[in-house]
Amino acid sequence: MMETFRRRRSVKYPLSIRILHWLRAVLILGLIACGWYMTRLADDDPTAGALYHNHKQFGILVWLLTLVHLTLRWRDHAMLPHAPEALKAWEKSLSHGTHRLIIALTLLTPLMGYAMSSSYTKSDGVPFFFLSHVPEILPKNDTAFAVFQALHSYSAYLLLACVVLHIAGAVKHRLQDKSGEIDVLPRML
């Protein structure tokens, strides 16, 4: 029975975690692309207003989905696959560190965006779909805004670097270790 449990544990992530993984992946990449594009538009460009509005609310959604993801991981911890035994120690460390950093940054980056928008004196608020605005708890201060803007930007680029590293690792194991224990992609499909 214990052997069956071990084998079950190493097969796939639970469906709820797999769905959240791919949903967050699409949203994060979309938010980074949107953020990069919208910051290059002129302030009076009407497209910029719509993009900023959606960027804010989808950023909050990513933050909330990350909290759900962490809750599910905690709840289903006993059923989650372990790192493959065949991985080298440095690969396990890099993978573990990258995963933790991605999770931390998907919490931190939206918080910095919220703080940035909340502290900006010309902000039109932080919308969230059916709510007109999320309460702003920070005082308006353009100096603080500049700090949060830099932190939001740096954390987004660091998140993008981690996502690229994560994808590169999955592709490397898929192409080089096809159908072996180290091919981890099927665990998330």
Side-chain angles (χ1 to χ4, degrees):
M1 177 152 164
M2 191 62 156
E3 183 59 35
T4 304
F5 176 74
R6 284 190 191 121
R7 209 170 327 148
R8 166 84 174 104
R9 184 174 174 149
S10 66
V11 176
K12 282 188 182 253
Y13 282 92
L15 180 61
S16 57
I17 290 179
R18 287 182 280 151
I19 289 170
L20 277 173
H21 174 271
W22 292 107
L23 179 59
R24 285 176 40 236
V26 167
L27 288 172
I28 289 166
L29 291 173
L31 283 166
I32 290 171
C34 177
W36 185 83
Y37 178 74
M38 71 187 190
T39 57
R40 279 147 182 76
L41 296 175
D43 289 341
D44 60 349
D45 187 322
T47 307
L51 289 175
Y52 276 98
H53 180 82
N54 285 313
H55 185 83
K56 291 175 186 181
Q57 60 189 3
F58 280 100
I60 292 172
L61 180 60
V62 165
W63 186 80
L64 291 171
L65 290 174
T66 302
L67 293 178
V68 171
H69 172 86
L70 286 171
T71 302
L72 292 175
R73 284 187 68 89
W74 177 77
R75 184 194 73 185
D76 298 336
H77 180 71
M79 295 299 291
L80 299 181
H82 283 296
E85 294 296 322
L87 282 178
K88 296 176 178 97
W90 71 267
E91 289 176 312
K92 285 182 185 179
S93 294
L94 182 60
S95 173
H96 186 70
T98 302
H99 284 113
R100 285 184 176 248
L101 197 51
I102 287 172
I103 290 171
L105 289 167
T106 55
L107 290 171
L108 180 68
T109 305
L111 287 176
M112 292 301 104
Y114 165 81
M116 178 178 77
S117 185
S118 183
S119 62
Y120 186 49
T121 56
K122 296 179 185 174
S123 175
D124 58 352
V126 181
F128 186 65
F129 298 103
F130 302 111
L131 300 174
S132 61
H133 289 94
V134 175
E136 295 179 336
I137 59 173
L138 296 175
K140 300 295 183 188
N141 180 328
D142 285 340
T143 303
F145 162 77
V147 171
F148 291 128
Q149 183 181 36
L151 290 172
H152 182 67
S153 179
Y154 294 142
S155 64
Y157 281 116
L158 182 56
L159 177 57
L160 178 59
C162 289
V163 167
V164 168
L165 185 60
H166 178 68
I167 292 168
V171 169
K172 179 258 185 207
H173 293 306
R174 180 72 180 164
L175 297 177
Q176 286 188 351
D177 311 311
K178 204 181 287 191
S179 76
E181 178 196 7
I182 298 177
D183 181 9
V184 294
L185 186 60
R187 300 181 334 166
M188 199 49 85
L189 295 176

